[in-house]
Amino acid sequence: MEKSDGCSAHLIDGDGTFNDTGLEQLIKEVKLGECGLSYAIVSIMGPQSSGKSTLLNHLFGTNFREMDAFKGRHVPFIFRSQTTKGIWLARCAGIEPCTLVMDLEGTDGRERGEDDTAFEKQSALFALAVSDIVLINMWCHDIGREQAANKPLLKTVFQVMMRLFSPRKTTLMFVIRDKTRTPLENLEPVLREDIQKIWDSVPKPEAHKETPLSDFFNVEVVALSSYEEKEEQFKDQVASLRQRFFHSIAPGGLAGDRRGVVPASGFSFSAQEIWKVIKENKDLDLPAHKVMVATVRCEEIANEKYGSFVANEVQALKKWCQMEEAVESGPVSGFGKKLSAILNISLSEYDAEAIYFDEGVRLAKRKQLEEKLLQLVQPAHQSMLSHIRSGTLEKFKEAFDKALNAGDGFSLAAQTCTQSYMAQFDEWHADAVIEQANWDTSKARDKLRRDIDAHIASVRAAKLSELTSSFEAKLNEALSGPVEALLDGANSETWAAIKKLLRHETALAVAGFSDAIFGFDMDGQSKEKLIASLENYARGVVEAKAREESGRVLIRMKDRFSTLFSHDSDSMPRIWTGKEDIRAITKTARSASLKLLSVMVAIRLDDDVDNIETTLSSALMDTKNNAAVKDRSIITLDPLASSSWEKIPSSRTLITPVQCKSLWRQFKTETEYTVTQAISAQEAHKRNNNWLPPPWAIAALVVLGFNEFMTLLRNPLYLGVIFVGFLLIKALWVQLDISGEFRNGALPGLLSLSSKFLPTIMNLLKRLAEEGQKPATADSQRNTAKSFQNGSSPLSDSSSPSSSSASSGVISPENGTECSNNSKDD
Ligand SMILES: Nc1nc2c(ncn2[C@@H]2O[C@H](COP(=O)(O)OP(=O)(O)OP(=O)(O)O)[C@@H](O)[C@H]2O)c(=O)[nH]1
């Protein structure tokens, strides 16, 4: 016989307290939790001091307390004491699979009192609920006896069995102790008859009224010799009986057709719950209990697996922690497969531990565990998806830029790159799929698609804007300068020419732009919109330029006026000789300026015809009409007394009629001086050219001066003096440009001449004063005095010492001519 391994626990004490700590300890020691369904529970019940503990210790190598032989059952009953109190549990040494045996308190009730059978019933019910095999210890001599000690026990067993809704099929093994010479074959029928009688006498619920005993129990009968009298025989028989407990749960074994077994890992909880229910005197619904145990245990297992996953307790699961960290900073290659494998470790462990529990409960709890685990890893998966999405978007942007730079059409490049990178996303996403999860990742895909579309739209907008800007710049360049030049030379054809120019340049730009946007695959409406915008821009350039020029209209008018007024038809500067018709010239110049004004007053890019020029002309130029209008001013309205032109909307108006009137007034004021100047110049010219005295004076001169004239002719000296005088005057006239000085009138001429003489005279006087202070030579003083006295220039004698003063720029007081070389040159 195997020796005891000492694994035992006082499962329920005499007071009915369940020793869960002891049970857990025992389960741990015998590693019952790992047994799954491969374990068996045996219990023994029977009258007190009937050798139950002795039998178990011999049969299973346990170490239950036995009554001392000297105080044995042969000792008068009154001296015997109860050895086993409550229920003890121990491992059956050497029996495979793991078998635990329960030693129940004896059922005589002497210790608790005759009427106190509550604990007997409770412990019997507990043994029936948890055991696969129940040994019923009985004395051989009790068989067939009406007052047999085991009869109340059997009654109790059958009664409590009815309280189990669906009892496990328990094996009842009747162990007949101290067998006599009567063979077992004779004893067994009698015993079975006794058992049947007891079964029949037990009140049953309606459902089990006709149920045979065999539906609930397998009845086995064994007989053993007396341990005390035939110990060797007893031991041999026990050893033989022990063999029947090996693989007792295998088909054909002692408990081969047991039902409703609780998996070993749930045994502790199940036993506690069963005892709790029994203590509360409630009916024990074993199937429901089994589900309850499964629920609790599966949840415990699932929680344990989840806890290990979170705490990275299992080596394989540590990879999850690494992945969780890695995915925060970037995509992890093979994310889906790796994470699925890690999750599978936890789920497989759960499956392995929960496999023997109720399938429905087990699967439900597995699902819950799976969901919790997936919930835990979902943020990491989301991060991974986010990396994939942003990575794909970046790659798409690069590829798209490259395609556009390579000259691919915009739409074609967008389409090709989109298809390619959406497929790339699907591929990368497949790599990140967690097989246990069935997450809808279409949102991530949709978001990527939206991001790609948004990028395409923004690039498209930028490219179109770039294109539009470049064509606008071209239009600006092509229109601004020419329009300005056309407006500068404003005439009747100006707006027609501008229109032609605008049409031509716009058509060119539109054609170029249409070609450039061909690759964008735009719909007709969008294309038309862009082209219309370009056309409007071109028109805007012209209008802006016209507005800009209209702001300078007064300067332009004055320029035009002075050009026409100061130049003749050959564009040569006019010299006012007196023959010119200043009035006619002024009128022509003003008329041309008015023409310019009439061109600049409105934008005329449409084919409308207006009468602005006529209105302006009649209002501002036609003096006769104006005079008439003035006469009728009381009854006729001024056509320019308005802030808008007839037929011209304000959007096209550059200068309003009132502004025209004001401009014209200013123009006339500012050009009046030029006209006045011209008139003055003309009069001065006339005066200058009219130097001969009137004919009557000449005639009087001839008549009255005839004698003097003749005297002069007769005296050659006088003639010579007159000739020299004439030459001197002529020289002075030419040198001082006296005719030029007096061109602008007598007073300015005199002032100008005096300004030429005055510094020279002052200089000369100053020098003379200096000379007077110094001992001047008599010659120089004489010469100077003579020269002033004679009124002749010291320059006339080039050899005289005073000639040096001429070279120093001194002007002679006689003619005021500057005597410098430079002056002569001039
Ligand atoms: N006649 C006889 N006596 C036995 C036999 N086996 C054990 N005894 C004696 O019976 C007495 C009680 O033995 P236990 O094994 O303690 O009996 P028990 O049923 O466990 O006692 P409780 O636990 O107190 O109910 C002891 O003195 C044993 O020596 C047997 O086969 N025949």
Coordinates of all heavy atoms in Angstrom, one line a residue, residues 41 459 635:
I41 N -13.8 12.2 -6.9 CA -14.0 12.4 -5.5 C -14.8 11.2 -4.9 O -15.8 10.8 -5.5 CB -14.9 13.7 -5.3 CG1 -14.3 14.9 -5.9 CG2 -15.1 13.9 -3.8 CD1 -13.0 15.5 -5.3
V459 N -3.8 71.6 -54.6 CA -2.7 71.7 -55.6 C -3.3 72.3 -56.9 O -2.8 73.2 -57.6 CB -2.0 70.4 -55.9 CG1 -1.1 70.5 -57.1 CG2 -1.3 69.9 -54.7
I635 N -33.9 130.4 -69.1 CA -34.9 129.4 -69.5 C -34.2 128.1 -69.9 O -34.8 127.0 -70.1 CB -35.8 129.9 -70.6 CG1 -35.0 130.5 -71.7 CG2 -36.8 130.9 -70.0 CD1 -35.7 130.7 -73.0

